[in-house]
Amino acid sequence: MSLLLGILFISLFVSAIVRGSFSYGKADYSFQEHPVQFVIVLTFILGVSVFCFYRFLVDIELI
């Protein structure tokens, strides 16, 4: 499950970087309009994805 969540969050991160914007719920984040909020949210998403991949590696006893 953690591997699937990691893939989901990393795909959201890459998609947002490529497009320069993304929507979540009723909030729209765009790098052109709000660069600070965009970077903060993307940093959070990247952190969650790294944590999910870390949990996956711990679950399969690689770390």
Side-chain angles (χ1 to χ4, degrees), residues 1-50:
M1 186 67 177
S2 59
L3 177 62
L4 293 175
L5 284 173
I7 292 171
L8 177 73
F9 282 117
I10 200 73
S11 66
L12 178 64
F13 175 79
V14 169
S15 171
I17 290 292
V18 169
R19 292 184 307 156
S21 66
F22 69 96
S23 306
Y24 182 73
K26 293 184 179 182
D28 294 328
Y29 297 96
S30 173
F31 183 73
Q32 301 296 332
E33 295 176 13
H34 307 288
V36 175
Q37 290 89 346
F38 184 76
V39 170
I40 290 170
V41 170
L42 283 186
T43 303
F44 176 75
I45 291 172
L46 183 63
V48 170
S49 107
V50 168

Side-chain angles (χ1 to χ4, degrees), residues 42-62:
L42 283 186
T43 303
F44 176 75
I45 291 172
L46 183 63
V48 170
S49 107
V50 168
F51 176 72
C52 288
F53 281 120
Y54 171 75
R55 289 300 309 159
F56 172 71
L57 293 175
V58 169
D59 287 344
I60 64 170
E61 298 176 355
L62 196 60

